[in-house]
Amino acid sequence: MFLICEGFGFPEEKRMTSLSRELVFLILQFLDEEKFKETVHKLEQESGFFFNMRYFEDMVTNGEWDEVEKYLSGFTKVDDNRYSMKIFFEIRKQKYLEALDKRDRAKAVDILVKDLKVFSAFNEELFKEITQLLTLENFRDNEQLSKYGDTKSARNIMLGELKKLIEANPLFREKLQFPTLKNSRLRTLINQSLNWQHQLCKNPRPNPDIKTLFVDHSCGQPNGARAPSPVTNTLMGAVPKAGGFPPIGAHGPFQPATPALSTSLAGWMANPSPLPHPSVSGAPIGLNAPNNPAISKRPRTPPNSNPALDYQTADSEHVLKRTRPFGISDEANNLPVNILPVPFTNQSHGQTSYSSDDLPKTVVMTLNQGSAVKSMDFHPVQQILLLVGTNMGDAMVWEIASRERLAIRNFKVWDLGACSMALQAAMANEYTASINRVMWSPDGTLLGVAYSKHIVHLYSYHGGDDLRNHLEIEAHVGSVNDLAFSYPNKQLCVVTCGEDRVIKVWDAATGVKQFTFEGHEAPVYSICPHQKENIQFIFSTATDGKIKAWLYDNVGSRVDYDAPGHSSTTMAYSADGSRLFSCGTNKEGESYIVEWNESEGAVKRSYHGLGKRSVGVVQFDTTKNRFLAAGDESMVKFWDMDNVNILTSTDAEGGLQASPCIRFNKEGILLAVSTNENGIKILANVEGMRLLRTVETRTFDASRVASAAVVKATQVGAFSASGAPVGVSLGDRAASMAAIVGINGDNRILADVKPRITDESGEKSRIWKLTEINEPAQCRSLRLPDNLSATRVSRLIYTNSGLAILALASNAVHKLWKWQRSDRNLSGKATASVVPQLWQPSSGILMTNDISETNPEDAVPCFALSKNDSYVMSASGGKISLFNMMTFKTMTTFMPPPPAATFLAFHPQDNNVVAIGMEDSTIQIYNVRVDEVKTKLKGHQKRITGLAFSNALNVLVSSGADSQVINSELMLLCVWNTDGWEKQTSKFLQIPSGRAPAPLADTRVHFHQDQIHLLAIHETQIAIFEAPKLECLKQWMPREASGPITHATYSCDSQMIYVSFEDGGVGVLTASTLRLRCRINPASYLPPNPSLRVYPLVIAAHPSEPNQFALGLSDGGVHVLEPLESEGKWGTSPPLENGAGPSSNTGAAASDQPQR
């Protein structure tokens, strides 16, 4: 108990340490179990940590008004905020009315003078009206109180109102839910402490006699000496005081799920406002008799704000307790509490540091639009694709690297006869409309267009110029002001808002309306859907400056707040979803850009530097979780998110609109800005220019561009059961657009290329050819330096930052290569152009797995990397080890075999939870923090060889070495629901005829970026499935001459699949079609050595460079491969209409023919 109790105290301001706070909860549980009821509620009130709603309800129901107010005083005061004020007013008003109802005038006067007079300072007229009730024989003669019933019913109705006020009050945030604790948790901790002390005894007795808790336990020594206290024992090391623990932030080693948003939404109340909270009351405090509206359900409040401890339910037949082995270091025991992530050299708190030089400020090109730009959005995957909407109703897709306008759609109502009379009348007067908003769906397969007249159009995008009508929705009466995509209930939806003051949610597949949100008193200007853990919500802003927030239900707005200056405002989160910003302009032309404190609904930071304008609303964007940008005064102004003063600005060489439209691409290396002359300037940083240069330096040949266009964007039509189905349109597919390309190969960076339309007939007559890489001069390859013993590479991964590569060799040793920033490598990311360092800490130790009594060469190695790259969990047939990636120190070991671990995967929402595939075919769901196996999953017959989580579907997919044939099929995959860990389905995959798999053939799984499509890799084939039903969409079998598949993985953008073979070759497939586009032969990266057969065992894709991958070889080498800079990518995808496969010497009959 020393760790928790050290430094414990109750300072006057009650600001206890997080561990002390949790100790109070343990004491509360203990007191409750021991039936110290009065003491329980006294501690609740004095600590202010837990508001016992049931106790409060009992007191209100029984009319114990003094006790009610005394209990409330531990949490709030009358004048804290408007919610608190109304809580106390309703209680005292009820007490006053009950005195009047009993004809007790003296008591009523006493309540009026002592309790209600305080409210006269806020509303003198109300106090006068309350006073006048004394003159009435029956206060029900007052019209507003005419519906007042008896005392019991009035208390019940008031109680419902009070509960809603308490739930909405930010002062009660995180205080309404008691943490879920196992029974007698405090006793359990004391017992664990005593057991630990007993283990440290030099001569432990079999049945120790423990008589007191006041001193540390020690079994007596033969010579009468006392065993050392565990507090001072050197095994324990220095234990910091609880008060000294730094907060564990978003990059903690084992971070629990983020607290649910509901408390933040309920907490959006900082200053009193003349308007009430709409979900609480329809009017300010007053005399109205309580109505009995449906009380809105309050989503579950997280148990506490401390992310260091996780409360588990006690129900547990499924919980298999494991004792932690004796001798683990104190550092390991305290891991969830006092170990912070250790960033790499170029990181701060796990996040890459940036300077203003990283901002895209160099003009590299101008695109001619032909009409004024109103909205832009970069493709979420293909980051050189830009979607643009104009004031003439034109929506178009640009590929900015080649300056091509790939597709364009003009405004046209697809089915005017199906539209409302109001829209038909509007079209009859003027058949034009401006675009207010364009946006890609999260996976880039759909795009939405919101028009100034009633209509929203959804198109499905299939790459190149293939833009198809998907849905036409008459969304609003008048202008549709904004549009966004969201995933409520795991279903892709479109959210719209409009001039009719309404927000609506539509099914993106069918166009069916799901929700309608009403409550704004002015046109809704913008919307911002977001998700915090499992809570989905929408912020909306109106032209009168009101901000509201909505959950996907019918309860109403959870927020009613004013934007700074009552401005027309847009809201946006930082890329990681942790920070909320807004930017807008009011009717007086004053503009504001601010950061919000979500938990309090208050402006946290106001940024300086925006000018006053006569027309228009300033637009802004965020990037890199670090910078803000706004288009203002014909410039782009930039701020560091943590500094209110302007960081830098650029006029982009002049010609910008007064309030230009701006948009970053996903990586923040490109910035699109609208100009006065109906154009778009593309600004880039060094990385952005490098990205564009590969295409800019080529001659713009129309046929080459058109044939490659299939590769340049996500092809949603390739999957027949896509998550966003295509073809549910209300109109026929628009006529196909001809490719628009540059007139010539102008290579100048600042070129202004005029588009022209080319004839498509020539391009279709050309025959596509597979790209073959046969020589070192045809690609960039680098063998990473290695002075350690060379044994085969069993596992390989890039760090999430892309700055390093981690390998696990078959001898249980890890190797880490790091790249540094330099003039040749400005980003510091992994590249084949710069040699990295084989990194070791100054201590010279190696990260080596426990091998117990097993032969590591015979074991099945596995590892998993934490999200912030600070820790790696790994096993090589022995215990599972947890290593610190900066010090290489073993933090802890657990789960000794048998059975041995064969695959590891962190839960995507909680790094404390790990799925562990075992040699005995089970999957153990293990909580690292509490050292418990929560449940065992059984569904395979042989060892587990692959695990993959889908955050979008809340499922875990597992694969095993189930190689026995059952009815000519191979059992491969199982799907488990991560909410209750039930098995949803399993899948049998057919073995190709004539191919017998190895007795224990591995099957690996890897989710597509959309978290729906699943890549399954087996030595005989690769296949694409759609989760969670595991419908097999496509299969691909390699030619027999290349040998079995050794490994495969998606590229980081999921547009390609890299496949390695036993003959040393690597195939690059287009993911959407499973068609081979490039083959890399071993001679291109391996030196000739006839006496040694070397081939890749594992393959890893760079996390942000789609065309870079690494190979782990059978001789212990690791190679990084990239295409030549002049090429920029691994071949081109075969056109869909071209039925010819590659020549026979590049693939077998089945090698490029995907099968259903």
Side-chain angles (χ1 to χ4, degrees), residues 853-916:
E853 298 178 359
T854 62
N855 180 356
E857 293 290 332
D858 298 330
V860 180
C862 55
F863 64 16
L865 190 62
S866 64
K867 295 176 187 175
N868 61 344
D869 297 334
S870 295
Y871 297 92
V872 62
M873 188 174 289
S874 183
S876 295
K879 296 176 185 177
I880 300 173
S881 301
L882 179 72
F883 296 100
N884 183 305
M885 286 277 282
M886 275 301 293
T887 64
F888 283 13
K889 190 172 182 179
T890 304
M891 311 304 297
T892 185
T893 59
F894 54 95
M895 284 197 178
T902 56
F903 206 92
L904 296 166
F906 282 110
H907 193 290
Q909 294 177 327
D910 187 351
N911 264 354
N912 292 291
V913 177
V914 185
I916 305 175

Side-chain angles (χ1 to χ4, degrees), residues 56-65 68 155 158-159 162:
F56 178 77
E57 290 174 7
D58 291 341
M59 290 190 294
V60 171
T61 303
N62 296 329
E64 299 169 2
W65 304 121
V68 167
R155 286 177 181 175
M158 180 194 66
L159 182 59
L162 290 178

Side-chain angles (χ1 to χ4, degrees), residues 37 160 187 213 269 325-326 328 490 530 532 574 594 640 686 719 788 823 838 877 889 949:
K37 296 299 182 184
R187 290 181 183 274
L213 298 177
M269 212 317 280
F326 176 71
I328 297 173
K490 305 174 188 175
H530 194 60
K532 286 285 182 75
S574 57
V594 302
D640 185 303
V686 174
F719 300 117
L788 301 176
D823 292 339
L838 178 60
K889 190 172 182 179
F949 282 97

